[in-house]
Amino acid sequence: MNTHNDQVIDFIRSQFASSSASTSKYEGLCNAIKIAIEEDILLPGSTLPGERKLADLLDISRITVRNAIDELVRDGQLVRRHGARTSVSEKVRKQISNLVGFSEDIRSRGMTPGARLLSAESVEANEAERTRLKLAPGERVIRLHRVRLANDRPIALERAAIPHSVIKSPDAIGPSLYATLDALGMSPQRGFQKITAKIMDEVEAELLETKVGAPALVIERCCETASGVPIEYTLTCYNAEAFDFSNELQR
């Protein structure tokens, strides 16, 4: 057994032992594994100790262990694949209250961001872009259409529009749009976003390597500089099977 597996088992055993007397063994194990995931003791993609080992170490039945794992699989936190050990879901969780770009967000989660460019062009702004970016009729934008990647896995389709007054050519945009804006002294400082749900059509499903009708979350975002200059209007369609959103609430 390696050091990391020792740490995982010790942590789960400690959390399980601290469960309240009113909590069933099944609930106690569910909670212990959830906390291990939340505290990054169990990392995305890592494997869970085997059912027999967990049952022996925690002095509970394998049926209890299996029921707890089944519950976490249904909840999307664990993934069980035929012929392989149960592993932690690699779903990406995004904090929706932070104004960061895709690349920075993915990198902060220990993954490598990437993009597959579908198109990049200088075009006349459409009605939605004019409204959100406060442009006059006939003004142009740089419009990007990209597949966004996390560890080479496609998880989102992004359509971004930047005023031509901010960026003159698609060639001026690097792998990270926000890094490019930062370098120009036009860093996004505030904005709004709206989240809606949909199901994927055939084109979206093919690009995100999933099935037609899979659930998707669409974020419409508009950002501006500290002085109030609109600099980005983005529609991003996330694969809801690979990506979810969280927000810390306070009273």
Side-chain angles (χ1 to χ4, degrees), residues 3 6-7 55 127 140 148 168 207 229:
T3 303
D6 285 342
Q7 182 186 17
E127 183 177 356
R140 302 178 72 81
R148 303 313 307 262
K168 303 296 185 184
L207 289 170
V229 178

Side-chain angles (χ1 to χ4, degrees), residues 29-185:
L29 180 54
C30 272
N31 291 335
I33 295 173
K34 284 181 181 179
I35 294 170
I37 294 172
E38 291 169 359
E39 296 292 329
D40 288 334
I41 303 299
L42 276 169
L43 298 172
S46 63
T47 57
L48 200 67
E51 290 181 6
R52 184 189 298 276
K53 181 172 292 185
L54 284 172
D56 292 343
L57 290 171
L58 301 177
D59 193 26
I60 56 179
S61 71
R62 288 189 66 181
I63 292 176
T64 298
V65 174
R66 186 169 301 146
N67 287 341
I69 291 174
D70 285 344
E71 174 67 23
L72 294 172
V73 169
R74 287 192 293 270
D75 194 41
Q77 299 198 52
L78 296 178
V79 178
R80 180 184 280 127
R81 296 184 176 88
H82 181 69
R85 293 267 292 275
T86 302
S87 61
V88 180
S89 171
E90 294 188 83
K91 177 179 283 193
V92 179
R93 176 159 292 162
K94 178 179 177 65
Q95 287 282 349
I96 61 176
S97 57
N98 299 332
L99 182 51
V100 296
F102 182 92
S103 296
E104 182 182 351
D105 187 50
I106 294 300
R107 197 174 288 114
S108 72
R109 293 165 193 345
M111 292 178 284
T112 302
R116 186 162 68 245
L117 184 64
L118 300 176
S119 64
E121 53 188 349
S122 174
V123 295
E124 185 175 319
N126 61 32
E127 183 177 356
E129 293 163 345
R130 288 198 306 271
T131 300
R132 297 291 187 264
L133 297 172
K134 301 178 183 178
L135 301 175
E139 287 197 74
R140 302 178 72 81
V141 295
I142 302 300
R143 189 184 296 154
L144 300 177
H145 186 199
R146 301 185 288 183
V147 179
R148 303 313 307 262
L149 313 173
N151 285 351
D152 292 326
R153 180 187 182 189
I155 62 173
L157 296 176
E158 177 187 87
R159 293 182 182 271
I162 307 94
H164 207 266
S165 58
V166 175
I167 295 178
K168 303 296 185 184
S169 167
D171 296 334
I173 301 175
S176 168
L177 172 59
Y178 274 36
T180 300
L181 292 170
D182 287 346
L184 294 171

